[in-house]
Amino acid sequence: MFICHILNPVCTQSSNECLPQKAWLSESSLMDWFTTIGCFIWLIIYLGAHVSGYEGCQSPQYLELDETGIIQCSFMEGFFGLYWYNSTDTVTEEPILNLKGSARSGPGFISGEFDVHPNGSLIINHVTIYHHHEFSVVKLNTRDDHPTPHIVDVVTTGQLEHTI
């Protein structure tokens, strides 16, 4: 845990009052000032990412052919289930991968083609040109939650290694 302090008080024995130390008076107080500024910047970044509650995936995402690829997403913990689809059709298509708690299932997981990170990011174990399309992911907070799909356009880059 980070502990940030704003003021470094200087107390005198002759009085019961404590005065803030001025940052420009000594090298150590200047370092305290830089530490405080660094902690403040870290706090702004942390709160911006966590308090806003942003969930979802950026689109498009670029994955290198013949490599392991990760479709980066971020979902808050504690959801009922997460379901990845190999298309934008989340109504008639079956999910390729399901995540409920720590249990993973689905044809894409069983075949070894896909896996999932606990934050919801989809792992493609070997990226091919067949992964160059739109994927969808649906997160349910509860069993009765209304599903909202997040669509990610995956663009594959690079060249395949051909063997004869």
Side-chain angles (χ1 to χ4, degrees), residues 34-159:
F34 283 119
T35 302
T36 300
I37 295 298
C39 287
F40 182 70
I41 291 170
W42 174 85
L43 183 63
I44 288 172
I45 292 169
Y46 177 82
L47 289 176
H50 291 87
V51 171
S52 69
Y54 171 77
E55 292 192 319
C57 315
Q58 297 291 325
S59 186
Q61 293 194 34
Y62 299 88
L63 303 180
E64 188 73 26
L65 291 167
D66 275 341
E67 301 289 333
T68 297
I70 300 176
I71 300 176
Q72 298 286 341
C73 298
S74 180
F75 295 100
M76 303 291 251
E77 295 178 9
F79 50 82
F80 171 76
L82 194 74
Y83 307 89
W84 275 97
Y85 295 82
N86 215 2
S87 72
T88 58
D89 182 0
T90 60
V91 176
T92 61
E93 295 286 323
E94 291 293 320
I96 55 172
L97 192 140
N98 309 322
L99 175 65
K100 289 184 181 176
S102 62
R104 300 171 304 214
S105 63
F109 177 72
I110 293 168
S111 71
E113 183 177 2
F114 300 103
D115 201 350
V116 66
H117 191 273
N119 73 354
S121 297
L122 183 68
I123 301 166
I124 303 174
N125 289 315
H126 184 249
V127 176
T128 69
I129 58 172
Y130 299 109
H131 297 114
H132 189 112
H133 62 85
E134 291 178 319
F135 288 80
S136 299
V137 60
V138 173
K139 181 193 105 173
L140 298 177
N141 288 317
T142 66
R143 177 181 295 252
D144 301 321
D145 197 11
H146 178 72
T148 304
H150 301 267
I151 297 172
V152 181
D153 184 21
V154 171
V155 178
T156 56
T157 61
Q159 293 182 349

Side-chain angles (χ1 to χ4, degrees), residues 19-31:
L19 302 172
Q21 183 178 6
K22 297 189 182 198
W24 58 84
L25 291 179
S26 71
E27 187 175 318
S28 66
S29 58
L30 185 60
M31 291 304 292

